[in-house]
Every structure is written in C-alpha cells, then in structure tokens.
Amino acid sequence: NSPTSIDELSDIVKDVRKAGIEGVKTFYIPVRKLFEYLLLQRISSLKEIDDEMVIDYLTSNTAGMSDATKKNYRNAISNFFHYLSNHNENEPNSGNGYIYHLNLSNWQGLSGKKGNKIPSYLTEEEVGIFLSSLDSYNFISDRSAIFYNLIIRLILLTGIRISEALAIEKNRIQEKDGYLLIKITGKGN
C-alpha cells in the first residue's frame, strides 16, 4: 500500500494530520523539500544521490533555522534513505536493491553545543518568590483565586502543559495513601 507518487504521500500525510497526529509533518516537510530540490537537480536516477548532494540540500534549505530544526531535517532525511535502502529491492530477498551510504552525522550545518536549546526554568528561589506573589495576588473572586492558584501550582510543580492541566476532569483524580493521583493524557496520547 505504499504511495507511488509524492502527491499520494501528501494525501496520506493530510489524512494522518486530520486524525490528530501533527508530528508527521516534522518528517514529511524535509522529505517533500528534498524531492523538490532533486527535481531542480534533474537527476536521472536516485543512485546519483550522495552525501554531497544531500548536504548541499540541507545547507541551502536550513540556513537561518534553529539547530533543533536542522537536526530534525537531518534525521528525517537519514531515516528516509535508511528506509529506501531497506525497502527498494525489485523482488523481495533478491539482494538487488540499492543501499544508500549517507553519512550526515558529520554535516557542519549545526552550531555544536552552543546551538542546542537549553530549557528555561526557574531557580528554587525564583519559584518561592513566584508562589509568594501568587499567594498575595488580589484575584477577582475567591473562586478564581483557588482555580488559578491550583492550575498554576500544578503546572509549575509537575511540568505538565497548560492544555493538559486545563483538560483534567474530576474522574481523572484519585486519592491514594494521602496523595492525589491525577491521570494526565499528554502529547501523543
């Protein structure tokens, strides 16, 4: 049931995204852009694709992007060619498929350690100051004070996303051994 054209693949990606799996575009977009790049190169066979060509594509198409996005592009392209290498035999187990020997791990388009995203977080002292100011904030009503205090503390102390905190339903909260257990359905279900 593999797609036979880039348009069929695009339709599959659209269906997957409609089903709620947004992450598929992280892999699809770099492959789609590579396809467009290869069309411009007028190659006559996929066997002409080598490290130099893919690195040229990555360099020209990811300039100005964050290192995290560049890594996503590199990984998507590497995985794509790994998949092709494992599934491109004319007849199964015939051994006549083409193996791509791409080594993109040495691509110099990344900034190195200084380019990696470092998560932002509050120090213990900053958390204390924040919670103190939350306690003294003059909310519109007692009800909103309780709600916002609970939501903010839950997010701050557990690391869950805002959408996850707001989606918590009563039936997802249980008491056990003096603790509250909250079942969170997060990103990717």
Side-chain angles (χ1 to χ4, degrees), residues 52-91:
E52 187 177 327
M53 186 176 287
V54 175
I55 287 172
D56 183 49
Y57 156 76
L58 287 170
T59 303
S60 61
N61 281 275
T62 63
M65 294 180 179
S66 71
D67 274 3
T69 303
K70 289 178 182 182
K71 286 178 185 176
N72 285 343
Y73 267 65
R74 181 191 64 200
N75 291 341
I77 299 303
S78 291
N79 290 337
F80 174 72
F81 281 103
H82 181 73
Y83 177 86
L84 286 181
S85 294
N86 290 333
H87 295 88
N88 68 2
E89 294 182 19
N90 292 335
E91 294 186 26

Side-chain angles (χ1 to χ4, degrees), residues 167-175 181-185:
I168 295 173
E169 299 169 357
K170 272 186 180 179
N171 63 352
R172 300 286 194 156
I173 303 172
Q174 299 174 352
E175 185 178 351
L181 299 176
I182 305 172
K183 184 173 181 182
I184 305 295
T185 303

